Amino acid sequence: MHEIITLQLGQKANYLATHFWNLQESYFTYDTETESAVDHDVHFRPGVGADGSETYTPRTVIYDLKGAFGTLRKYNALYELSEDANPGQGLWDGKEIIQQQTAVPQSDYQKNLDAGLPAPQLSAETVRYWSDYNRQFYHPRSIVQLNDYELNSRVMPFEDWNVGEDLFDDLDKGHDLLDRDVRPFAEECDQLRALQIFTGSDDAWGGFAAKYVDRLRDEYGKKAIWVWAIESGAKVHRQTQIKRDMNKARTICNISPQSSLYTPIIDPPSRLPSTINLNPHSQWYTSALISSAMETVTLPTRLRPYHDFEASLAGDDSIHRIFELQSSILRTVDDEKQSSNSKGSNEGDESSKVQKEFDLDFSYDSLDSNTSHIFNQLKVRRGIEGTEDKIPSMKDLSLIRKERTYNSEPNFQSFHTSLQFPVLDSFPSDLFSAANPEGKMNVLATLTASSRTADRIKAMETVASRIIGIDERENIVNGLGEIRETYETGWMSDSDFDDE
């Protein structure tokens, strides 16, 4: 097996990750004759419940602030006997006064799931927390509430990047976070493949994640680390936006050099096609839209048979680690051909074309992509009937890459699966108008490394040089400059000269 451990850091991350886990749950088959196209052992772990029954739960660790979990309990129906309901008085034999916080009432959606009844339709008003549309049981070790800060607190807001760094250091001193939270899951793996991290990037979670990635890289030096860095796309007043920009600059400067994949995600993107009906003020809506692209583009990592996803990201040089997430929702094969002909390059067949324009751009939706130079692109197409699976062998792939390098063409790889994207009852019912009557749709999603990243980071450098304090300005600006250079057209590394 090639297992993946997931870390979820903060509200933005947990909204997106909840959709991700609901989608994984939908791929399970419960009859002995049908085998799922998805290998569930990649993301799920077997275990034993409190009553001795077998369980199957996500291999994930969920961090969030006090008051952010809603109705989600650390001990659920699978493990409720593990909770000490009557802890006793211990050494104290005096009178006890027990004060309990008022429990968050369960949503109708969760009540129906528990009762085995059809789930009612959700709305932006009925989804108060990410746990309101969660369909999973988690292991108690997966739930980690950070009580030092409270969700949406005005007294101690969890917004400054340094606050996240300090919180990680304080928690790590008390008990090694990797030993307590990650290692138990890692030791259960036969062959740990990657660590996947969902995190906010423009608030204190960026600082928390930077410290976490640093520790993970020290501990698991050769393992892939994939980071989905979510930033708010909502318009705010100038001072708040400046703070967010600085947080993003610190996050990308500290995390992207240590990760195998770093993908900035704007939540929500500003440019939307007419087929999308989005409520931009609801994280439930916006994270559902993001999940359609993010879950699709990572699908090869859990399909049968095993696919070498990491080699596709690395390309030939392994220096481009910041990727743009983009997608299009397609109705027919003709839609894909028309999209490729109008937005892609002109050489080769449809499946070998790099693409520059998409209906949805989750990373740099305000930057022009027509004039950008593409270094590497990974394209995943799902559910498009009549399209053959043309995944090349590693020998053919090596030859194709050499030919592309010789012809100064971008590195490129395409995956295809007939497994359509399922629009679940935990999604907004009116979000996707392209879904068929069965609640499924065809999605094309890509991860692209291009020169647009250089433009984005150059803008960060300019702002950082004016605003960041002098004590860290040089390190941040120089760090951003080094990252930017690798995404500028015509740049060559020292290893390129050594090879000659």
Side-chain angles (χ1 to χ4, degrees):
M1 291 188 291
H2 298 80
E3 298 93 345
I4 298 172
I5 295 176
T6 300
L7 301 176
Q8 305 169 209
L9 311 181
Q11 256 318 254
K12 298 189 190 82
N14 289 326
Y15 266 91
L16 176 57
T18 300
H19 283 300
F20 175 81
W21 291 119
N22 288 346
L23 287 164
Q24 304 319 301
E25 187 264 348
S26 72
Y27 300 136
F28 278 90
T29 54
Y30 297 97
D31 61 83
T32 57
E33 298 180 357
T34 306
E35 183 182 53
S36 173
V38 173
D39 183 357
H40 304 295
D41 290 327
V42 171
H43 282 288
F44 287 77
R45 55 172 295 278
V48 179
D51 60 354
S53 61
E54 294 183 357
T55 64
Y56 211 48
T57 52
R59 193 179 288 109
T60 188
V61 185
I62 306 172
Y63 294 90
D64 217 329
L65 307 181
K66 182 179 179 181
F69 287 87
T71 59
L72 186 66
R73 299 167 55 206
K74 188 177 183 70
Y75 297 95
N76 51 55
L78 297 181
Y79 297 94
E80 59 186 356
L81 298 180
S82 300
E83 183 176 23
D84 192 351
N86 184 19
Q89 294 181 320
L91 299 177
W92 172 254
D93 58 0
K95 184 179 180 180
E96 283 187 338
I97 299 176
I98 299 176
Q99 294 183 338
Q100 291 184 336
Q101 188 175 6
T102 304
V104 177
Q106 209 174 24
S107 66
D108 291 338
Y109 186 84
Q110 291 296 333
K111 289 178 181 177
N112 283 32
L113 286 182
D114 291 345
L117 301 173
Q121 185 171 305
L122 292 166
S123 68
E125 291 71 30
T126 58
V127 175
R128 307 153 299 170
Y129 305 92
W130 51 265
S131 60
D132 285 338
Y133 58 93
N134 168 61
R135 299 180 60 90
Q136 294 289 324
F137 285 126
Y138 298 97
H139 190 279
R141 284 202 307 260
S142 291
I143 310 299
V144 183
Q145 179 172 286
L146 307 182
N147 295 315
D148 301 68
Y149 291 86
E150 191 167 357
L151 182 67
N152 299 326
S153 172
R154 295 184 179 181
V155 179
M156 295 177 61
F158 201 62
E159 296 176 353
D160 291 336
W161 202 84
N162 295 329
V163 169
E165 272 194 318
D166 294 340
L167 177 59
F168 182 92
D169 288 338
D170 291 342
L171 294 173
D172 204 40
K173 288 176 183 176
H175 34 72
D176 189 302
L177 287 184
L178 261 66
D179 277 346
R180 187 193 70 177
D181 299 337
V182 178
R183 199 178 305 282
F185 289 102
E187 290 177 347
E188 294 173 342
C189 299
D190 292 334
Q191 186 178 346
L192 179 60
R193 175 182 187 178
L195 295 130
Q196 175 177 247
I197 301 174
F198 296 91
T199 183
S201 65
D202 60 354
D203 54 15
W205 287 110
F208 191 92
K211 283 285 189 178
Y212 220 131
V213 170
D214 188 56
R215 287 290 312 280
L216 290 172
R217 182 53 71 199
D218 286 343
E219 184 70 22
Y220 304 100
K222 295 183 179 180
K223 302 300 180 184
I225 297 178
W226 306 334
V227 180
W228 306 97
I230 310 163
E231 58 191 65
S232 175
K235 293 184 178 180
V236 292
H237 59 78
R238 186 171 179 273
Q239 286 303 114
T240 302
Q241 188 59 54
I242 288 174
K243 179 185 292 186
R244 289 180 177 177
D245 289 343
M246 290 303 93
N247 289 338
K248 286 185 287 186
R250 292 183 176 101
T251 300
I252 199 170
C253 183
N254 283 273
I255 295 181
S256 65
Q258 300 194 79
S259 59
S260 313
L261 163 70
Y262 182 95
T263 304
I265 297 176
I266 300 173
D267 180 17
S270 61
R271 180 172 56 86
L272 298 170
S274 58
T275 56
I276 300 296
N277 178 36
L278 186 72
N279 179 349
H281 305 294
S282 168
Q283 279 191 286
W284 172 56
Y285 264 86
T286 59
S287 57
L289 178 62
I290 296 168
S291 72
S292 67
M294 177 268 155
E295 199 274 335
T296 293
V297 83
T298 59
L299 192 57
T301 65
R302 49 192 173 272
L303 284 179
R304 308 176 195 270
Y306 167 80
H307 295 305
D308 197 349
F309 184 77
E310 294 81 359
S312 305
L313 293 175
D316 280 341
D317 49 32
S318 300
I319 60 173
H320 298 114
R321 302 173 181 178
I322 301 175
F323 285 78
E324 308 151 30
L325 177 65
Q326 299 151 319
S327 72
S328 293
I329 296 171
L330 309 174
R331 294 179 184 272
T332 63
V333 179
D334 292 335
D335 286 347
E336 184 196 17
K337 290 182 178 179
Q338 182 179 1
S339 176
S340 297
N341 288 332
S342 62
K343 301 173 184 177
S345 59
N346 296 319
E347 69 279 350
D349 57 61
E350 303 302 326
S351 64
S352 65
K353 290 182 177 182
V354 297
Q355 214 168 300
K356 289 189 175 182
E357 291 185 19
F358 298 85
D359 293 340
L360 292 160
D361 187 342
F362 294 98
S363 295
Y364 309 140
D365 64 346
S366 61
L367 295 177
D368 182 22
S369 61
N370 289 321
T371 58
S372 65
H373 174 78
I374 293 179
F375 300 103
N376 189 16
Q377 187 173 88
L378 172 67
K379 180 187 290 187
V380 179
R381 297 164 292 134
R382 64 187 300 179
I384 303 172
E385 296 180 0
T387 306
E388 296 181 358
D389 188 348
K390 298 183 179 180
I391 301 174
S393 66
M394 292 309 296
K395 182 178 179 180
D396 294 337
L397 181 58
S398 177
L399 179 60
I400 291 171
R401 284 177 175 170
K402 289 179 180 178
E403 290 176 350
R404 286 185 175 274
T405 301
Y406 181 80
N407 295 326
S408 299
E409 296 172 0
N411 290 310
F412 177 84
Q413 188 167 354
S414 176
F415 293 92
H416 171 257
T417 175
S418 59
L419 183 65
Q420 291 183 294
F421 182 87
V423 181
L424 309 177
D425 58 21
S426 58
F427 274 68
S429 60
D430 59 345
L431 179 59
F432 301 109
S433 63
N436 61 27
E438 291 77 31
K440 299 179 184 294
M441 62 186 187
N442 306 324
V443 180
L444 182 150
T446 65
L447 289 171
T448 306
S450 79
S451 59
R452 291 205 299 166
T453 296
D455 299 332
R456 174 70 177 269
I457 294 181
K458 186 176 181 179
M460 287 185 178
E461 284 182 79
T462 302
V463 177
S465 62
R466 296 199 312 262
I467 298 174
I468 289 184
I470 193 171
D471 53 335
E472 63 171 334
R473 181 187 305 159
E474 184 176 356
N475 288 336
I476 295 293
V477 173
N478 289 345
L480 291 172
E482 291 176 4
I483 296 170
R484 170 180 49 80
E485 287 177 352
T486 64
Y487 294 88
E488 292 179 335
T489 307
W491 179 87
M492 296 182 70
S493 67
D494 292 338
S495 61
D496 294 326
F497 291 104
D498 293 340
D499 292 340
E500 296 176 359

